[in-house]
Amino acid sequence: MTEITETIPAGLRPWSVDWPAYKPTDATPPELRPSALARHVPGWAEAAPTPADVHDWPQRMAAALVPYELDEQGWPLNPGGRTGRTGRHLGRWGENSAADPIVVAGRGQQRQVLLITRDDILQEAIPGGMGEPGETAPDTLVRELREETGVDLSEQRPVILGRDLVDDWRNSDRAWVASTSALYLLPATVPAVGADDALAADWWPFISLDQLDAAITVAGRTLYAAHRPLLQRALDYLAQ
C-alpha cells in the first residue's frame, strides 16, 4: 500500500509553505457527504457535514493527542501537513483518537507479537481501533484488544510508548488518526481468535522488524506499513 503522504513532496507538506496551486482530492465517501448525512448518520460518525458545523473545537484541541491548529476559516489542519486529500473518511473532523495495544509474549529468541488480519485492507496489523465518546486511552486499549482477539488484559498495566499521528489510508487534511501505542508484556502466548474487525489473530516471531516482515511474507501476507514505526518502537524499548 502506498502511504498517502507519499503523494505530496516533502517540501510542500508543511502548511507554512505557500502553495497556491494545491488542489487536494475530496476523500469523503458517499455516506458522509452532506446530502447523505441529512438522511442518515452512520453510528460510527458525527453528524457535522463540514468542520464549520462543529462547535467544540477548543475542547477537541485541548484533548488532542497531537496538537493541531485551525486555519483562517476555523477548519482543522492535519498536524502532519498536506496529504493530497480533503474531506472526511473518518468518524470525526480533526483528530480521531485511537489506541494500539502491542502484545508481546516470551523472551529472547522465543519472543512473539500478537497481530490481526484487518478486514478492511487484508493486512497484518496491531490490534486496536478508535476510541468511543468519553472513553479513556487505557479503556480503548483493553476494549479493542478484547473485541478483536478475545484476549483480556484489563488487569495488566501497559507501558505507554507514545502518542503519535498514524499514516492511515483514510487521513485527509481535515480529518486524521492519532494513536496511543502501548506495550503489554506476557510470559507466554495466550489463545487469540480474530473477531469484530479482525479476520484472524496470530502470534508472530518478534526478534526484529526484518524477521517479522519475512515471516509474514513467507505466509503470503503483508505487514501494514503504518504500524511498522510503532512495532519498531516496541522493539527499541525491549532492547533497552
Side-chain angles (χ1 to χ4, degrees), residues 26-154:
D26 191 344
T28 308
E31 63 269 25
L32 293 183
R33 295 189 181 277
S35 57
L37 290 174
R39 299 190 302 272
H40 170 72
V41 179
W44 51 270
E46 66 178 342
T50 74
D53 301 292
V54 174
H55 304 296
D56 64 344
W57 284 118
Q59 291 85 350
R60 294 192 188 199
M61 295 172 71
L65 298 177
V66 179
Y68 63 92
E69 298 179 351
L70 305 180
D71 65 12
E72 63 279 357
Q73 61 180 333
W75 289 30
L77 292 171
N78 188 318
R82 298 181 175 95
T83 64
R85 295 152 60 93
T86 190
R88 172 169 64 112
H89 201 166
L90 291 160
R92 289 161 57 92
W93 293 102
E95 182 181 280
N96 290 257
S97 62
D100 291 302
I102 303 172
V103 184
V104 175
R107 295 185 178 184
Q109 295 300 310
Q110 304 306 313
R111 194 166 63 203
Q112 298 182 66
V113 65
L114 179 61
L115 300 179
I116 64 166
T117 305
R118 285 178 50 158
D119 66 358
D120 55 351
I121 55 176
L122 303 180
Q123 295 184 0
E124 306 310 296
I126 300 166
M130 300 298 178
E132 295 181 347
E135 189 175 52
T136 65
D139 289 341
T140 304
L141 287 163
V142 169
R143 177 182 56 77
E144 286 289 340
L145 182 63
R146 185 192 301 119
E147 289 178 353
E148 295 187 344
T149 71
V151 176
D152 186 351
L153 296 183
S154 56

Side-chain angles (χ1 to χ4, degrees), residues 189-200:
T189 60
V190 296
V193 179
D196 193 37
D197 296 334
L199 297 177

